[in-house]
Structures are given as structure tokens and as C-alpha cells.
Amino acid sequence: MFSRQFEYLAPTSLDDALSALASTPGAKIMSGGQSLIPLMKLRLFSPGTVVDIGRIDGLGDIVERDDHISIGALVRHNQTASDPLVAEHATALGQAAAWTGDHQVRNRGTTCGAMAHADIAADQPAAAIALGATMVARSSSGEREIPAQEFFVDALTSALSDDEILVELRVPTSTNGSTSAYDKLGRRGGHTDYAVAGVAVWVQVTDGSVSDARIGVTGVGTRPSLAEAAASALIGTDGNDEAITDAAALVTDGITVIEDLYGSVEYKTHLAKVFTERALRQALAG
Amino acid sequence: MQVSLTVNGRTQTAEIESRTLLVHYLREHLNLTGTHVGCETSYCGACTVLVDGKAIKSCTMLAVQTEGAAITTIEGLANGELHPVQQGFVERHGLQCGFCTPGMIMSAVALLDENDSPSEDEIRHGIEGNLCRCTGYHNIVKSIEYAAATMRGDDPPASDWEDES
Ligand SMILES: Cc1cc2nc3c(=O)[nH]c(=O)nc-3n(C[C@H](O)[C@H](O)[C@H](O)COP(=O)(O)OP(=O)(O)OC[C@H]3O[C@@H](n4cnc5c(N)ncnc54)[C@H](O)[C@@H]3O)c2cc1C
Ligand code: FES
Ligand code: FES
């Protein structure tokens, strides 16, 4: 299986990559290639120029800075899954990365690439919105920050414009009493493969009661979305089992659940509730 | 485009199209046909090779992306004698038709490189990116357990058919 012919550019600096993007209409960024190459092989997508950012130094680190941790554009899923800073401040993202694809995919695919690709069933985007992450996009004319919940516009559509590179993902460092968790059913059963339904939760507990919460749902609609009604129902409770069940019952309120090859509306709605309960129990226990 | 890389310890330079997948470069340009093409859609893992020590699917990487990298394929494992993972597959009947085997072995080599004493569960997760349509995985897991033991210098666990009792 071969893709159509394309011109391959492998710049070694971010500035060169940005100017190649700006000056070449239809050019596409490649990071891990784990979504782009399959699409190109199937000829569902045939960019004239591919700009591989894989040889740019300085994009492959996870660092703690001021009030956030930064995950660079070339951080692979496996690195996100095993990083101690991620485990401490962004548990849900680490779990979502560990359950993305398989070993080989995780050795190549990048956390930022999974954001930019914006698949409706991708795991890490749910964690990004639940954690209140920020996407940092750069073009040759400057840099802008996009809140995660505004980043996922529609199926396979992010808020990035054609000349922008997602250079880093920033996750706020966890402050007193905030924890997060992710749980899913994968298409191949267990946690393997894209989410039939996946739920990431972030909760903050102050003086024994839930003072703030965000719940990100993936796989069930046309984009990862925040379950606002469920989060509001949880806030103010002490996070006991009953409060968890009551909140989870509202998880698809305001989300248009769609049927696909992997499940009916009814089944996915049910799964979203189950994984909300499981993720909340896990986060509130930790 | 020109690409230079190391394959099984040997430097290779070639002029290829940018769309050439690593698996086709290995099979058709270097005649290293041990790396198999199964699904071609990034799922089966038959095409697994090591790039700078990490298992990847060579049908989902462009050969031009491996500029300067060191590749190990199934042909690069044996060194006068079979690699312990290859020997494990022989000893514990880890293959039937053999189509998935090169990729399965490369994944197992990468797994044991990171974890020299994996549990059965860790082995099963370690090969989740490799599909086998024949064995039902049982003997593959046993083969990897065999290899792990011999690589640590331990006695391999008894086989299912050598009933010690
Ligand atoms: C067998 C298999 C199983 C998988 N299972 C899962 C799964 O369980 N869960 C899951 O979530 N995903 C899964 N994936 C997808 C995988 O996570 C991809 O790695 C991810 O979707 C894309 O990341 P990438 O770095 O490979 O991006 P690429 O494939 O390189 O790019 C994907 C798209 O994003 C754009 N892009 C990439 N990086 C940037 C950037 N920094 N800035 C701007 N645009 C960018 C590209 O232009 C392209 O349009 C699977 C893939 C495979 C092959
Ligand atoms: S041939 Fe590469 S994963 Fe199947
Ligand atoms: S031995 Fe036949 S596919 Fe695995």
C-alpha cells in the first residue's frame, strides 16, 4: 500500500518548519505519523508536502514550569505514560497515554499529535479537557494559547489553522487536594485501542467536600466534551457513592451521543455512566 | 531522496521515493524478507522491527524518517546461534504457520530489554500490538517466559508437556 507521491521536508529547527508551512499551501505536519501515515496509505488524505518535525531538537521534553507542566510536541505516548511529573500532576493523561494503541504505536505516536488529530474516540483529549489543559500553537507570525475545551471543534477538526504547529500542551500543576483519573472500554476489549467510551475526571476536594470538578468524555459524541451537568451535580457533595452515581447519571446531558460500528446510543450512554463512576471512585480514593 | 541508516550493524545508503515505507525498503531494496507485511493497516504487528532499540511497525514509518537510525530486523538477532527469544519459540512451539513470528519475536525482544522478569500479564500486554491467527497465544507466552528465564541465567519453566509429577 503506497501513498501518493509527496514532497518530504525534515527541517531541523522550528522556525524552518513554520516557514515551510507558511510558504507551502496544503503542507501537513507529521509528528509520530501513527494517524497520518495510515490515512495517506489508504489515500483518504494526500498532502502534496509533508513537514516532518521529528528532527527538531528541544520538542521532546516534559518539564515543570511555574504553575504548569509542559509536554513538548515530540513527547511520545510511552513517555507521557511513564513520566513521574505526569503521574503526579496529570494522572488521567498518563493513564490515557498508557491505554493509547499498543506498544509500537506508543513508541512513535505523540501526545500532541493525538490532540491535533482530534479523533472522536481518542483517549488523551478527554484527559486534556478534564485537566483544564492549554494548547500552545505557534505560527510564523506568533504564538497563541487555546484552552483545551475550545481546541476540539469537530470530528478530526481542531482549532489549529493550517500554518500552526502545536508546540506544547500545558497542564496546570495539581494544587491542594486535586486528583484525576481516566477509564475506558477499548474497541478491542479491555483498555486496548480507541475508546468505545472513555471518561477522564478531575476533582478538587476541600475540607472533605468536592469544591471543583471537570469530567471529559470521549468516544460517544463527535468530539471530546465536558460533561458540565454531571460535574455540577458532584460539586458540593462529599463524593460518597450515592453522589457519584447521581452525578454519573447526568454524564451525557448536553452531549449528542452518536451510534457507530462500536455501539448503539443506548450502549454508549450506559458505558459513559459506568466509566464516570469508575473514574470518579478512583480519583476520589487517590 | 537519499537515506543513510544502519541495518543489523551495516551502513546502508539508498536513493528512494519519500513514500517508501520502511518495510518495503527492508524487503525490496535490502532483500531482508524476514520482516513480514500482514495487514498493512498498522494493526497486526507482523512488520515490527527495532528502530534505535524500540519496537515500531515498519509499515507505519517512512524509510526517509529513519535517516541516521539503527534498525534491527529478525535477520539481525542470531549471532552464530539463535537469539534466546528465537530459541524460546523453538523450545515451546511458539509458532504454527510462522507468519506473525518475526514481528512477535521483535516485540518480545523489546519487552525483555525493558523488563527481564515479566509476569504472564505483562507478556500478554507486551505483545498486544501483535496478532497471531494460529496459536491462541498460549505457546507464545510460554516461549517468551522460556527466553526470559534463559536470558537471566535461570532454568526455564517446565513445558506443558513435560509433566514433572
Ligand atoms: C494501531 C493503532 C491503534 C491506535 N489506537 C489508539 C487508541 O487506542 N487511542 C487513541 O487515542 N489513539 C490511537 N491511535 C492513534 C495514535 O494515538 C496516534 O499516534 C495519534 O492519533 C496521532 O499522533 P501522531 O504523533 O502519530 O500524529 P501524526 O500521525 O503525525 O499526525 C496526525 C495529524 O495531526 C497533525 N499533527 C500532528 N502533530 C501535530 C503538531 N504538533 N502540530 C500540528 N499538527 C499536528 C498532522 O498534521 C496530522 O493531521 C492508534 C493508532 C494506530 C495506528
Ligand atoms: S503489516 Fe504493519 S502492522 Fe500489519
Ligand atoms: S503462527 Fe500463524 S499467525 Fe501466528
Side-chain angles (χ1 to χ4, degrees):
Chain A
M1 226 189 281
F2 285 92
S3 70
R4 285 185 210 285
Q5 299 276 12
F6 57 88
E7 190 186 357
Y8 173 80
L9 303 175
T12 51
S13 79
L14 195 54
D15 285 344
D16 287 351
L18 290 170
S19 54
L21 269 189
S23 61
T24 324
K28 253 317 193 185
I29 290 291
M30 181 162 79
S31 48
Q34 299 303 289
S35 293
L36 186 59
I37 294 174
L39 284 174
M40 289 172 63
K41 279 164 56 179
L42 292 167
R43 303 197 178 194
L44 292 171
F45 184 56
S46 300
T49 304
V50 169
V51 181
D52 181 359
I53 60 172
R55 269 174 241 173
I56 301 175
D57 280 339
L59 297 179
D61 299 317
I62 302 177
V63 291
E64 186 170 1
R65 251 193 250 128
D66 311 323
D67 58 351
H68 63 265
I69 60 170
S70 159
I71 297 172
L74 286 177
V75 170
R76 316 276 171 189
H77 304 316
N78 261 340
Q79 201 179 336
T80 303
S82 60
D83 186 84
L85 283 172
V86 174
E88 181 183 350
H89 299 289
T91 317
L93 184 69
Q95 286 174 314
W99 294 334
T100 295
D102 51 49
H103 267 279
Q104 294 95 315
V105 169
R106 291 193 290 275
N107 278 336
R108 293 293 308 156
T110 64
T111 290
C112 285
M115 303 297 160
H117 189 57
D119 194 285
I120 65 164
D123 298 290
Q124 292 167 83
I129 58 174
L131 290 161
T134 302
M135 313 284 172
V136 182
R138 201 176 299 170
S139 71
S140 49
S141 52
E143 192 172 277
R144 65 180 177 126
E145 295 183 5
I146 310 165
Q149 68 251 46
E150 291 166 24
F151 185 80
F152 303 102
V153 177
D154 204 348
L156 299 180
T157 310
S158 77
L160 291 173
S161 56
D162 289 345
D163 63 344
E164 281 180 319
I165 297 181
L166 176 59
V167 288
E168 66 180 280
L169 170 73
R170 291 184 184 157
V171 183
T173 41
S174 59
T175 44
N176 331 336
S178 72
T179 51
S180 66
Y182 179 69
D183 206 348
K184 73 185 266 199
L185 174 69
R187 287 178 185 169
R188 279 170 57 198
H191 294 126
T192 301
D193 211 346
Y194 280 106
V196 179
V199 180
V201 303
W202 173 88
V203 288
Q204 180 148 41
V205 177
T206 315
D207 300 330
S209 82
V210 178
S211 50
D212 203 357
R214 277 187 301 265
I215 299 174
V217 187
T218 189
V220 302
T222 55
R223 62 193 184 91
S225 320
L226 282 179
E228 288 174 9
S232 310
L234 191 73
I235 295 171
T237 71
D238 64 1
N240 63 25
D241 270 355
E242 198 187 327
I244 289 175
T245 314
D246 290 349
L250 303 174
V251 70
T252 51
D253 275 25
I255 297 175
T256 309
V257 180
I258 53 161
E259 176 177 324
D260 60 18
L261 284 174
Y262 307 97
S264 63
V265 170
E266 197 185 2
Y267 180 54
K268 288 188 171 193
T269 306
H270 171 74
L271 287 179
K273 284 180 195 160
V274 169
F275 289 110
T276 304
E277 289 179 13
R278 289 187 192 173
L280 280 175
R281 271 195 215 107
Q282 207 192 115
L284 286 163
Chain B
M1 287 199 74
Q2 184 166 311
V3 60
S4 300
L5 66 162
T6 311
V7 181
N8 299 331
R10 248 198 241 160
T11 309
Q12 303 283 356
T13 302
E15 192 60 36
I16 50 169
E17 288 184 348
S18 50
R19 62 177 173 172
T20 309
L21 299 168
L22 178 58
V23 69
H24 294 307
Y25 172 69
L26 294 171
R27 289 178 56 87
E28 285 152 32
H29 295 250
L30 302 182
N31 292 325
L32 293 172
T33 54
T35 303
H36 290 169
V37 182
C39 66
E40 273 199 277
T41 56
S42 316
Y43 269 92
C44 74
C47 64
T48 302
V49 301
L50 306 185
V51 174
D52 294 329
K54 296 211 184 293
I56 61 98
K57 292 174 178 170
S58 62
C59 76
T60 316
M61 191 165 179
L62 303 172
V64 289
Q65 285 180 283
T66 62
E67 172 68 34
I71 317 277
T72 309
T73 69
I74 188 76
E75 291 91 344
L77 287 185
N79 181 8
E81 52 189 62
L82 291 181
H83 184 282
V85 177
Q86 292 173 309
Q87 193 62 42
F89 274 65
V90 173
E91 299 295 335
R92 290 296 178 263
H93 297 272
L95 59 144
Q96 288 177 25
C97 80
F99 198 85
C100 70
T101 313
M104 203 61 91
I105 288 179
M106 297 317 289
S107 278
V109 169
L111 168 71
L112 296 180
D113 188 44
E114 280 174 21
N115 178 357
D116 70 357
S117 314
S119 63
E120 178 182 339
D121 209 41
E122 286 169 333
I123 293 175
R124 288 185 182 274
H125 279 290
I127 57 170
E128 71 189 330
N130 295 76
L131 303 181
C132 175
R133 303 206 62 175
C134 303
T135 64
Y137 302 97
H138 179 84
N139 282 357
I140 293 177
V141 174
K142 298 288 171 195
S143 302
I144 298 172
E145 286 173 345
Y146 181 100
T150 55
M151 286 168 79
R152 291 192 306 266
D154 294 346
D155 286 339
S159 71
D160 293 342
W161 50 89
E162 286 161 20
D163 192 349
E164 309 267 309
S165 60

